Amino acid sequence: LKTHNSTPILVFILLVIFGGQAVFSMKLKSPTYDESYHLTSGYISLTKNDFRYGVNQPPLIQSLAAFPLLFMGLSLPENQDPLVDKHWTLLGKYFLFSPGNNVDQIIFIARLPLVFLALLLGFYVFLWARDLYGERAGLMALTLYVFSPNILAYSRLATTDFGAACFIFIACYHIWDYLQQPIFKKLCLTGLFFGLALVVKFSTLVLFPIFFLILFGKYLSS
């Protein structure tokens, strides 16, 4: 497909609009119930190489959200083991509100990596729609994505849900793209994003039957 000169500019503008909406609106949103836990799990796994606090989900998104916090000099609550054994959700609240920790700044900075994932997903929404139906379709799909309240709401939270949606979508795009032109580079990209999806959330195991159905459908149509 030939690309019109204005298409990359329009894609860039739409993604900037989305990023601006996400960044400026998330300043007004208080921490959600599970953000504190995910951030604390990621921060402890990065600083102490201890993954006991995040056993309910794989560590990728938790660690990604917590990574910028490593440069903030945050303090962890003392004697966290008894808290986790009995009330694991309390640890996150104690971490956010420990003396010297600025909770608003922590939440804002930790949400930024998820906004970047949302921008990546937006680009792939454009890419897949463009590959299927042309550039106008790609721009229309991206426009709907950029102004979707549901997408905006979840993309600015430091939780695993949006990360799972992002990598599932991208993995499905790459297996589809590989089947259109089965070359080694596209196979590697499929494997990469398939693996990334599996270390985001346990529910991404749904990719196994999805990939099976995609490959089976391709086999039947060939």
Side-chain angles (χ1 to χ4, degrees), residues 148-163:
S148 169
N150 199 39
I151 294 294
L152 181 62
Y154 279 94
S155 65
R156 59 190 178 181
L157 299 180
T159 60
T160 57
D161 298 323
F162 197 85

Side-chain angles (χ1 to χ4, degrees), residues 18 21-29 35 107-108 110-112 114-115 118 149 151-159 162:
F18 179 86
Q21 290 182 101
V23 170
F24 288 109
S25 63
M26 73 186 185
K27 290 181 177 181
L28 308 175
K29 303 301 178 182
E35 277 184 296
I107 291 297
F108 178 79
R111 287 171 172 172
L112 290 177
L114 276 298
V115 174
I151 294 294
L152 181 62
Y154 279 94
S155 65
R156 59 190 178 181
L157 299 180
T159 60
F162 197 85

